[in-house]
Amino acid sequence: MPAPSQVSDSVLACLQAVLPGADVAFLVALDDHVDLRWRRAGETTTGQARLPGAQGCGEAVLAGPGEHWIEGSLAPWTAVLPFATARLLVLPVAQAARSCGALLLRPASADAALAEAMPLLRDLRDRVAVGLSAAERREQLEYRAIRDSLTGLANRRGLIEHLEGRAAAGTAGPYAVLFVDLDGFKSVNDTLGHDVGDDVLVEAARRLTERLPGGALLARQGGDEFVAVADVASAAAAMAMAERVVESLSGAFVRGPQSFVLGASVGVAVAPMHGHGHSELLRRADLAMYAAKQAGRGAARLYDASLDAAALERVQMLSDLHAAIERDEFLVEYQPRIEVATGAIVSAEALVRWRHPVHGVLLPWRFIPVAEETGLIDAIDALVMRRACLQWRGRSDPGPPPPPPWRQRRCPRR
């Protein structure tokens, strides 16, 4: 339940308007503490206190469906009230059939004025209950909007709000953004099902939370991607933290009789060295994570400027690949398999080459990784298969297609 900081002044003012000569207080029992605010008769200044332990507010205060009287000394928390020793009128505030707080009054005198004011006080009590319920629903909606429903961590919106808040506040000192991606997580979902995958994500969130320093923010960006934001002394300290994260996720994940090892790749960007805005920091940490995966996975990589150039090259490569498939810019060369005893060609392997309009003939290592990652490899496979079959069909002899003359190499007999 939200604290009544936004409504307490109006509630206390209304209580004073109903009973001008009364000392008044407004109490709300929250999950882990009690919020108590008060005003003396004839004053407009609000006193307030935050007291530990929501359950310690006293059964005498929250008990009963209707108004009742208590002696202030019966509730130890009332020691902070300037009128704590007085006899207090309590109007419990109920929410969803449970007591959540109370309006407290010390009338100037228990006379006809109080009896006349009771209908107004009850109406005010009911309105306060409605207002608190609405505020709680609003807070729950806001909480859900920035929280991941599976892990309870911040979601992408919560992460961005956190980073924007740091940038706006000009937080002193460097801080690290760690982009964490589980290696091989897709295979868990595909082979063991999404229930097991969800358990893995929850366990990964737990391990990450344990390894990160106090005060760090951990968010689930989406899928199997996590982002951590933490203060660091230097880039070296950020990398040390990233390596601890990799280690924490390298151990086996166990679910019943099943045990499997995934690991993680981590990219690191450090502010302000690598940027200030959330978009820039996340993009660069993501680039570093991708570079860690490309280098073999299960490792951490710190962002550097060369990664931007590699990313631009990859984007251009992907665009050119789409055009190459449409224009059929691929050609096939053949690697012969030769029988050592006779030197005869017994078969051949079809090898793809890309006749790039700008860079000339490119070997597979330049473009096949991008094609495999983006799903274009299937289209290229189909083109190569069609080209090889057409060349085979055009031959008059039943043997394998020979390599072009400039690729033929005769294996010397031993």
Side-chain angles (χ1 to χ4, degrees):
M1 181 192 306
S5 56
Q6 298 180 349
V7 298
S8 60
D9 286 346
S10 59
V11 170
L12 296 175
C14 288
L15 286 172
Q16 287 182 325
V18 173
L19 285 175
D23 296 324
V24 297
F26 180 30
L27 175 148
V28 174
L30 303 173
D31 292 336
D32 58 353
H33 68 278
V34 172
D35 192 283
L36 180 64
R37 299 165 191 258
W38 64 86
R39 282 187 189 174
R40 298 299 302 268
E43 297 180 358
T44 58
T45 302
T46 300
Q48 61 186 59
R50 177 188 172 105
L51 308 174
Q55 300 304 318
C57 58
E59 289 295 329
V61 176
L62 301 182
E67 61 275 3
H68 55 281
W69 292 86
I70 65 168
E71 297 295 335
S73 58
L74 295 179
W77 55 265
T78 58
V80 300
L81 288 174
F83 44 92
T85 59
R87 189 166 182 260
L88 303 177
L89 175 64
V90 180
L91 287 86
V93 176
Q95 189 178 26
R98 61 183 176 87
S99 296
C100 60
L103 305 180
L104 309 173
L105 303 95
R106 187 185 71 165
S109 59
D111 53 16
L114 176 59
E116 184 179 349
M118 285 307 302
L120 294 177
L121 292 174
R122 295 182 185 122
D123 181 67
L124 176 61
R125 183 262 319 275
D126 295 339
R127 290 177 181 271
V128 169
V130 171
L132 289 177
S133 296
E136 182 177 20
R137 286 194 298 270
R138 183 172 60 253
E139 184 180 71
Q140 289 174 347
L141 290 173
E142 291 174 351
Y143 179 85
R144 292 171 185 170
I146 61 172
R147 289 286 167 178
D148 173 52
S149 59
L150 176 64
T151 62
L153 302 175
N155 59 15
R156 178 172 174 78
R157 176 179 169 183
L159 169 66
I160 291 175
E161 287 185 0
H162 178 79
L163 289 173
E164 287 179 340
R166 295 197 69 138
T171 305
Y175 62 92
V177 176
L178 276 59
F179 202 111
V180 183
D181 186 89
L182 299 182
D183 296 330
F185 177 76
K186 184 176 183 299
S187 64
V188 174
N189 272 344
D190 292 345
T191 59
L192 301 178
H194 289 275
D195 288 343
V196 176
D198 288 348
D199 289 345
V200 169
L201 293 173
V202 171
E203 172 64 13
R206 185 192 66 79
R207 295 187 190 183
L208 289 169
T209 301
E210 290 180 350
R211 285 300 180 96
L212 292 171
L217 173 80
L218 179 62
R220 183 184 171 209
Q221 164 104 335
D224 62 334
E225 295 176 343
F226 297 86
V227 175
V229 182
D231 292 320
V232 292
S234 63
M239 284 299 294
M241 179 169 58
E243 289 165 1
R244 291 194 297 271
V245 165
V246 171
E247 180 186 1
S248 73
L249 297 174
S250 63
F253 288 84
V254 180
R255 188 180 189 271
Q258 298 165 327
S259 176
F260 40 88
V261 177
L262 297 179
S265 300
V266 181
V268 182
V270 180
M273 180 191 310
H274 299 141
H276 297 273
H278 73 271
S279 179
E280 189 175 29
L281 288 169
L282 288 174
R283 182 182 67 82
R284 291 181 168 176
D286 190 13
L287 284 177
M289 182 276 295
Y290 179 79
K293 280 192 178 293
Q294 290 293 96
R297 304 188 178 192
R301 171 73 184 268
L302 181 67
Y303 168 83
D304 63 73
S306 67
L307 298 180
D308 276 318
L312 289 174
E313 180 181 353
R314 183 175 180 275
V315 170
Q316 186 61 53
M317 177 72 71
L318 181 58
S319 176
D320 291 349
L321 270 176
H322 280 284
I325 293 171
E326 293 179 1
R327 295 194 291 257
D328 193 7
E329 294 177 350
F330 300 97
L331 54 92
V332 179
E333 294 180 348
Y334 298 92
Q335 174 67 45
R337 293 179 67 243
I338 300 174
E339 187 180 67
V340 174
T342 64
I345 299 174
V346 295
S347 64
E349 179 184 4
L351 303 175
V352 65
R353 304 289 186 264
W354 178 8
R355 195 187 302 274
H356 194 282
V358 175
H359 303 296
V361 177
L362 300 181
L363 296 178
W365 66 268
R366 292 285 301 277
F367 60 91
I368 289 298
V370 175
E372 289 178 337
E373 293 165 10
T374 57
L376 295 180
I377 192 65
D378 292 337
I380 295 175
D381 283 344
L383 288 173
V384 172
M385 181 66 72
R386 181 175 182 274
R387 180 68 53 81
C389 290
L390 287 174
Q391 291 178 352
W392 176 274
R393 187 177 65 179
R395 289 182 51 75
S396 58
D397 63 285
W406 60 87
R407 291 292 184 185
Q408 290 186 9
R409 294 181 181 176
R410 185 173 181 80
C411 179
R413 296 184 183 183
R414 294 182 179 180

